[in-house]
Amino acid sequence: MSISVRRLSYGIGAEVLGVDLRRPLPGEDIATIRRAWVDNGILLLRDQNITPEQHIAFSARFGKLDDHSALFKYRHPQHPEIFIVSTKPNADGSPSDTRETGVNWHSDLSYTLRPAMGSLLYCREIPDVGGDTQFANMFLAYQTLSEGMKKMIEPLQAVHDYAWAIHDTEKGRDSAKAEAHKKVNPPVKQPMVRVHPETGRKALYVSEGITTHIAGMNHDESRAILSYLFEHSVRPENTYRHHWRPQDLILWDNRSVMHKALRDRVPGTHRHMHRTTVLGEPSGELYKA
Ligand code: SIN
């Protein structure tokens, strides 16, 4: 069966049909998928009845995989390449630490000097209602800015700090946890406009969940500009919202896409996902306040 690609929405995304990931794909199919992935930002592959090994093998066709050492507690016990995002309680009954993972807009690993190229999220369990993920096209976000705004932000860098994202809806800000994370992941400066290494296209590269401020500006100036950019980049026409089905696999390109796990879970229902992360090109520098 040959591969075909159909768009998912105006703003972003496509579905790939004619692929069965239980068998290794020929190199030309991988090249077709990579092209469609870069062009559409996210790709949806439905009905993939795959094991963790097959998920890892497919992901590794796109580059070196992260072993998730920055967030080592949440790795799959047998497969460090798999990061588990789950709302299911731990074996001792305590709440899962990843039940709120990714609930604010972000691009994976933007808070490191080697941000992720791509992420491949596989749905193992999902309730009938809720557990959705939203995606935003950051090429489109950049393109639809005025020429004046583009010119102003293009030479600037913004600070990305994982500790900023440590927040729990019930407990509020967890500063002890944030400090511990800061030791492993100190804040970095990233370009506000990132040039996509495979296409040369420009994408806006700031996110509400991880970007704290613009380097070299005072707090009020920085907040005003960033608030505008955050709101602008997630306008509905720029986004796609996915309601998962079990065995869906979604690939997103972190160099041109932001995403957010919605807080739309019906109490008492659960969601269980496996994510692999393909490492990208080095970007940014350490931030010294
Ligand atoms: C993530 O941010 O990597 C997870 C997104 C999701 O669970 O929908």
Side-chain angles (χ1 to χ4, degrees):
M1 195 174 169
S2 65
I3 295 184
S4 62
V5 177
R6 65 170 180 222
R7 282 175 72 177
L8 282 173
S9 74
Y10 166 80
I12 182 169
E15 180 174 0
V16 176
L17 302 140
V19 170
D20 180 351
L21 300 182
R22 288 173 302 179
R23 280 175 281 282
L25 297 179
E28 62 266 33
D29 285 359
I30 294 292
T32 303
I33 291 172
R34 188 172 186 116
R35 186 76 249 158
W37 187 4
V38 167
D39 288 347
N40 293 285
I42 74 165
L43 290 183
L44 165 65
L45 284 76
R46 293 232 192 243
D47 303 318
Q48 300 297 326
N49 185 9
I50 50 173
T51 60
E53 288 83 357
Q54 288 162 336
H55 181 184
I56 292 167
F58 175 62
S59 308
R61 303 288 297 275
F62 300 99
K64 185 174 161 48
L65 301 186
D66 189 18
D67 65 359
H68 300 112
S69 50
L71 298 169
F72 57 91
K73 270 174 68 187
Y74 317 126
R75 299 192 280 205
H76 188 294
Q78 281 85 45
H79 304 286
E81 302 90 342
I82 290 184
F83 179 82
I84 299 177
V85 181
S86 183
T87 61
K88 292 180 159 183
N90 299 319
D92 64 0
S94 60
S96 157
D97 273 348
T98 57
R99 71 194 185 287
E100 299 218 337
T101 289
V103 294
N104 291 310
W105 285 106
H106 66 286
S107 166
D108 290 331
L109 302 183
S110 74
Y111 54 87
T112 72
L113 298 174
R114 192 159 179 205
M117 171 262 159
S119 302
L120 298 91
L121 189 65
Y122 181 63
C123 178
R124 303 199 79 84
E125 196 177 323
I126 195 81
D128 291 339
V129 171
D132 297 1
T133 307
Q134 213 176 351
F135 299 91
N137 181 340
M138 301 303 275
F139 285 143
L140 203 51
Y142 174 76
Q143 258 168 45
T144 49
L145 291 172
S146 68
E147 291 308 312
M149 179 62 96
K150 285 180 187 161
K151 213 164 152 189
M152 183 180 77
I153 63 171
E154 200 148 341
L156 300 178
Q157 290 179 302
V159 178
H160 292 230
D161 185 354
Y162 186 74
W164 182 251
I166 310 276
H167 183 273
D168 184 292
T169 307
E170 282 126 55
K171 295 187 210 138
R173 190 157 170 75
D174 184 339
S175 41
K177 201 169 162 190
E179 279 316 306
H181 268 290
K182 229 178 178 115
K183 289 202 178 88
V184 188
N185 300 296
V188 300
K189 280 194 290 191
Q190 294 288 358
M192 286 181 68
V193 177
R194 212 173 155 195
V195 178
H196 194 285
E198 292 180 56
T199 62
R201 291 177 73 191
K202 290 177 181 168
L204 188 58
Y205 197 55
V206 290
S207 68
E208 192 165 20
I210 302 284
T211 310
T212 56
H213 63 284
I214 299 174
M217 285 196 184
N218 73 33
H219 178 85
D220 292 349
E221 293 163 344
S222 174
R223 260 306 96 195
I225 297 168
L226 285 179
S227 299
Y228 173 76
L229 294 175
F230 295 156
E231 197 189 313
H232 169 82
S233 44
V234 301
R235 289 184 177 162
E237 60 274 25
N238 197 33
T239 66
Y240 165 71
R241 174 174 177 160
H242 186 66
H243 180 61
W244 296 87
R245 296 199 316 222
Q247 303 186 350
D248 279 354
L249 177 71
I250 288 195
L251 288 56
W252 63 87
D253 183 340
N254 286 287
R255 301 161 302 181
S256 61
V257 175
M258 278 199 308
H259 62 284
K260 168 191 172 102
L262 299 183
R263 295 176 198 263
D264 61 350
R265 189 157 59 92
V266 177
T269 64
H270 286 292
R271 176 185 197 262
H272 192 76
M273 319 289 275
H274 280 182
R275 194 186 89 199
T276 53
T277 314
V278 182
L279 291 170
E281 310 64 31
S283 175
E285 54 193 272
L286 279 179
Y287 172 66
K288 299 267 179 296

